Amino acid sequence: MPTYTAPARDARFIINEMLDLASYGNLPGFEMATPDVVDAVISEGGKFSAEVLAPLNRIGDEEGCTRHEDGSVTTPKGFKEAFDQFREAGWGTVAHPEEFGGQGMPHVLGFALEEFISSANQAFGMYPGLTNGAVSALIAQGSQEQKEKYLPKMISNEWTGTMNLTEPHCGTDLGMIRTKAVPNDDGSYAITGTKIFISAGEHDMADNIIHLVLAKTPGAPDSTKGISLFVVPKFIVEDDGSLGERNGVTCGSIEEKMGIHGNATCVLNYDGAKGWMVGEENKGLKAMFIMMNAARLGVGIQGLSQAEVAYQNGVTYALDRRQGRALTGPSEPEAQADPIFVHPDVRRMLMDAKAFTEGMRAFCLWGALLVDLTHKAQTEEERQEADALIGLMTPVIKGYGTDKGYEIATNMQQVYGGHGYIEEWGMSQFVRDARIAQIYEGTNGVQAMDLCGRKLAQNGGAAIQAFFKLIGEEIAAAKDVDGLGDMAGKLEKALGEQQAATMWFMQNAMQNPNHLGAGAHHYMHMMGIVTLGLMWLRMAKTATERLASGSEDKAFYEGKLATARYYMDRYLPDAGALRRKIESGSDSLMALGEEAFATAA
């Protein structure tokens, strides 16, 4: 049976030491996030995830969710009780505004908890995770009446939330949606249509489910410019906050999926359901993108989370399983065989996993800090800079984080050999659950095009230039620190590869947009590699300072430095290969006609 322990020590290192969260204590909400509070939240949140949620992960995979004849859905055994504990402990309230019942603490802590929960039980974590995205959209675009009516109980997780975009005939191209919203006399709208792939669309764990639904009003443009957003509760919420009649939205079926079986992924049928417009008419996509961007960051964390739990189990197995002898001679001559941990190829997979998970954790938590600074930094200039950076980083966190997360999960399955393919060992579930993260909330190809087709050129390229400036300055500073010069030089070379690839796009993509499309995936991965390089340089600098100060936790910091050197040696060189792929352009990619892809009989 697989096991999970929350990486609390590493999370504390990143939050308290690398990010130095206490140094932001002059900003709203940050004053509460003292190192002692951070330690308590990380420790207790990790304990809850490991002891309550992780034991339910396999149960959720095996049992799945059950739809009944009346359209109701029950979750796997133990999920409802665990959700009650989650709600009663207030874990969902940590980073939400105090005005509506949240604790008002930084998103950094919320992101750390999301990782622990998702590692322990990704399917469970999606129920409050989707709610967080719906809350973000309502905070940004909802009326004051809507905020007061829905947010307190959504933040407390008495009610949960969903996002309803996809329809049977359209996914990414939302301009094609057919769901209609016809005005009623009382100011509400009658919502009619079918939505598919709705995570947490129906379940038995909350008193109400608040659906955010994209639909088109009569006469709206037949494109993305004609989309409006509506809040459609499962049960109508009366003026006094009590629940009224059941609304006209039902679960038609539960999707049969490859993984995340413990989450109810529903087909939802809207039959004149009452809904209320959120924000302006025909401006729904703007509101929905707020929710989608929050969800994309959450999905990036899912990539990290499955890599982490698979890595933990891969290490345990490699230390226990005995096969063959070390190439340099028996490591344990008294035993019949050595642990497979001694074999360089197994070490390669384990070190790749360690370097990615610790680097990606730092990336996600830095991203969370940028989210906080977007709203809470002291000056408008600082807020805009943070907003531009997290906008640039969001597709990388989602796309690169989930591509590599899935790769790490499959590599950890490989560590198990044949046992990794057998269900009882649990590695199959990590692989199957990790796979969805590359697909939903915008496939990773869409993320790559968002990065390269929109974010690079946005505002004259201001965000990417700010990123290049930031990383360049940190490289220059690190060169003057004993022991960091070589790492800084390797990161500088990788940064040069990314800058050159960026320039190639500028010079070639305008004349042939296929050049951009052909290289977007490679560029997203290159940027992920370089950004994790920045995270490792920061962690190495922090570890060096702690060792110089005589810290008692010597082994931890020495491990950080060793892993940083591994990352710089083994990950950063890929930036050069990716640049060469990008500069090969699209000619050979697009050369074959469609008929050449058909298989001859």
Side-chain angles (χ1 to χ4, degrees), residues 356-371:
F356 169 75
T357 54
E358 294 180 18
M360 193 68 200
R361 180 171 300 113
F363 188 10
C364 288
L365 293 175
W366 177 52
L369 178 60
L370 292 175
V371 171

Side-chain angles (χ1 to χ4, degrees), residues 3-185:
T3 60
Y4 172 68
T5 302
R9 176 66 182 94
D10 200 50
R12 289 196 300 268
F13 165 74
I14 295 166
I15 295 170
N16 288 334
E17 300 177 59
M18 189 197 90
L19 294 177
D20 190 14
L21 202 65
S23 67
Y24 296 91
N26 60 320
L27 302 180
F30 282 84
E31 74 278 1
M32 297 182 287
T34 62
D36 286 346
V37 170
V38 170
D39 288 352
V41 171
I42 294 299
S43 175
E44 292 304 311
K47 183 178 178 182
F48 172 80
S49 299
E51 296 181 1
V52 177
L53 300 183
L56 299 175
N57 196 37
R58 186 165 183 174
I59 294 171
D61 187 53
E62 293 176 342
E63 288 188 9
C65 296
T66 304
R67 178 189 177 275
H68 306 285
E69 288 187 10
D70 62 356
S72 64
V73 172
T74 52
T75 49
K77 183 174 62 181
F79 269 49
K80 188 178 189 305
E81 292 76 13
F83 197 77
D84 288 343
Q85 292 182 55
F86 175 88
R87 178 172 52 246
E88 290 162 8
W91 291 120
T93 68
V94 169
H96 287 307
E98 292 179 279
E99 178 186 0
F100 302 109
Q103 298 183 48
M105 286 198 281
H107 282 85
V108 177
L109 284 178
F111 275 37
L113 289 173
E114 277 195 52
E115 182 206 331
F116 297 168
I117 291 166
S118 186
S119 280
N121 194 324
Q122 180 174 326
F124 179 95
M126 292 170 65
Y127 292 96
L130 269 294
T131 305
N132 290 339
V135 166
S136 297
L138 286 173
I139 288 173
Q141 296 292 318
S143 66
Q144 190 60 31
E145 179 186 358
Q146 288 169 344
K147 292 176 185 178
E148 291 173 359
K149 178 174 282 191
Y150 299 112
L151 288 178
K153 290 195 174 182
M154 293 175 74
I155 286 172
S156 70
N157 285 118
E158 293 173 74
W159 302 346
T160 59
T162 72
M163 54 192 297
N164 286 231
L165 290 76
T166 307
E167 299 183 4
H169 62 285
C170 73
T172 301
D173 190 354
L174 292 171
M176 296 171 62
I177 67 170
R178 296 172 184 161
T179 299
K180 297 298 182 185
V182 178
N184 294 320
D185 293 338

